[in-house]
Amino acid sequence: MRRPWLKRLGLAFGSLLGVLLLTELAFRAAGIGDAEPYVPRLNGKVPFIPSGIEGMVAMVPNPGAEFRFYGKPVSINAEGFRGAPPQAADAGKLRVVAIGDSYAFGWGMGEEETWPARLEAALNARGRPARV
């Protein structure tokens, strides 16, 4: 039992693959795709910059940037973190590091509205001195 449609499907798939391969080679030969990454601007300032890690498409906070987002002030300290710069550890004070994405950063929120700031306030209110 012959299946002529299977042969045509294979030919169509092979042709599509060939066209895509030739297009990729043409783009590479022309240098298309080696462009600088897009750097967004907010209120004329650059809040985030490319990570600089080879092969990683990510943006990191721009140290020293201050801007407003959805009407909320956002400041990035010299170390590249949001808010006040880290202070030396105090004896007896719990230190917590918040690692995450836009939720941990508090995108679109004021500094005191972020969950790390709220965690710090809750711990301090319960008598457990903390710095988050």
Side-chain angles (χ1 to χ4, degrees):
M1 180 184 267
R2 294 190 156 208
R3 296 186 178 153
W5 63 269
L6 191 58
K7 187 175 182 179
R8 282 183 276 170
L9 181 65
L11 183 60
F13 182 73
S15 298
L16 177 63
L17 191 61
V19 168
L20 290 175
L21 180 64
L22 288 175
T23 304
E24 176 71 21
L25 291 174
F27 279 151
R28 286 185 184 211
I32 298 173
D34 295 334
E36 289 295 317
Y38 169 71
V39 178
R41 294 188 178 276
L42 193 57
N43 302 335
K45 298 179 182 172
V46 180
F48 293 89
I49 55 176
S51 67
I53 300 171
E54 184 66 33
M56 183 176 176
V57 180
M59 303 296 276
V60 295
N62 187 5
E66 291 184 5
F67 55 96
R68 294 186 75 75
F69 189 72
Y70 286 115
K72 304 288 185 165
V74 176
S75 63
I76 310 298
N77 63 36
E79 285 81 24
F81 299 105
R82 184 170 182 181
Q87 301 167 350
D90 296 334
K93 198 172 205 181
L94 177 66
R95 308 254 316 176
V96 179
V97 176
I99 300 174
D101 55 7
S102 58
Y103 288 104
F105 183 81
W107 200 233
M109 299 179 174
E111 178 65 32
E112 68 285 345
E113 298 171 311
T114 64
W115 73 257
R118 295 180 74 178
L119 174 62
E120 182 177 317
L123 288 169
N124 289 325
R126 292 187 177 169
R128 180 66 171 112
R131 173 78 173 117
V132 180

